[in-house]
Amino acid sequence: MNPDSAAPISIFLLPGWQNSGPGHWQTRWEALHGDHRIEQHDWTRPLRGDWCARLEEAVLAAPGPVVLAAHSLGCILTAAWAAHSRHTSRVQGALLVAPGDVERESLRHQIPGWAPIARRALPFPAVLVSSTNDPYCDADKARDLARHWGARFVDAGARGHLNADSGLGDWPEGRALLDPLIRPPQPTSSSC
C-alpha cells in the first residue's frame, strides 16, 4: 500500500548507538520541529534485526511519506533496512550524517552483528554528510559508502562525529540539507 500523498510527511530521527542526548542536533530538531525519534528497545546492545523491525513498524504506521534523518549507526540501519524492506517506496529521502564504520575492528567488537555494511544503492534520494576528522569513520570510507548508496556526498570539514560534542547546536546547515528531501523541487511547466 502506498502512502497517501495528501498525508503529512513524517520526519523520523534515527539515532545511533546509545541514542542521542540532550545537546545532540537530533534531540534539538525533535523539540524545534516536532520530528519523531524512532525509539529502539535497547540502545546499548543494538541488534540489527530488532532495529530494522522497529524501523519497518514505524514506516508502515506512518500516515504518509517518510523522510529519515539518521546519525552514526542510524545510517547503517537505514542501509540495512532498505536492503530488505518491501516498503522503501514510503521513504521520500534520507539525510545520513556521520555513518559509523562498524566494519572497523574496534567497533565490530563493541557493536557486534552489524558488519558487513549493506552497500546496495538506496531506492530513495539521500545525502551523506561526513566530517574529515570523524573518529568513528574516516572520510574516505564515508565517501565510499555514499558512492555505494547513491547518496550525494557533503564534506562538513573538521567537525568530529557531528554530534553534541561538535558544537552544532540546532545545526541549521543540516536542516538546510534535509529541507529539499522534505519538499523536493516541483516540475516546472513550460508554456508553448
Side-chain angles (χ1 to χ4, degrees):
M1 178 176 148
N2 287 335
D4 181 355
S5 61
I9 294 172
S10 299
I11 311 247
F12 287 167
L13 302 170
L14 305 177
W17 181 40
Q18 300 179 355
N19 205 348
S20 295
H24 196 287
W25 57 267
Q26 286 183 317
T27 303
R28 295 170 77 108
W29 286 8
E30 191 174 22
L32 281 170
H33 307 289
D35 301 341
H36 178 73
R37 179 186 310 252
I38 302 302
E39 292 290 345
Q40 297 293 348
H41 300 295
D42 192 339
W43 290 108
T44 57
R45 289 182 305 279
L47 300 175
R48 182 166 55 180
D50 289 354
W51 280 36
C52 284
R54 180 66 192 106
L55 178 54
E56 181 83 351
E57 290 167 1
V59 167
L60 288 173
V66 170
V67 172
L68 307 175
H71 180 257
S72 195
L73 189 60
C75 301
I76 308 307
L77 166 63
T78 299
W81 172 80
H84 295 97
S85 176
R86 288 190 229 145
H87 304 286
T88 58
S89 63
R90 297 180 65 93
V91 176
Q92 188 167 293
L95 177 65
L96 307 169
V97 181
D101 182 1
V102 293
E103 295 173 337
R104 182 185 287 178
E105 204 57 37
S106 59
L107 287 181
R108 183 189 296 249
H109 290 296
Q110 289 181 307
I111 310 171
W114 286 84
I117 296 170
R119 284 180 166 75
R120 186 179 300 175
L122 297 173
F124 40 78
V127 176
L128 189 150
V129 186
S130 176
S131 167
T132 57
N133 63 344
D134 188 333
Y136 301 107
C137 185
D138 68 52
D140 288 339
K141 178 72 169 253
R143 194 176 296 273
D144 184 60
L145 290 173
R147 184 178 56 78
H148 281 285
W149 293 340
R152 180 168 71 93
F153 182 81
V154 175
D155 183 340
R159 300 183 83 175
H161 194 47
L162 299 170
N163 57 9
D165 294 339
S166 299
L168 300 174
D170 296 339
W171 199 33
E173 302 92 347
R175 198 66 187 197
L177 293 169
L178 181 72
D179 282 344
L181 299 169
I182 299 169
R183 291 178 284 283
Q186 299 300 314
T188 57
S189 59
S190 58
S191 55
C192 296

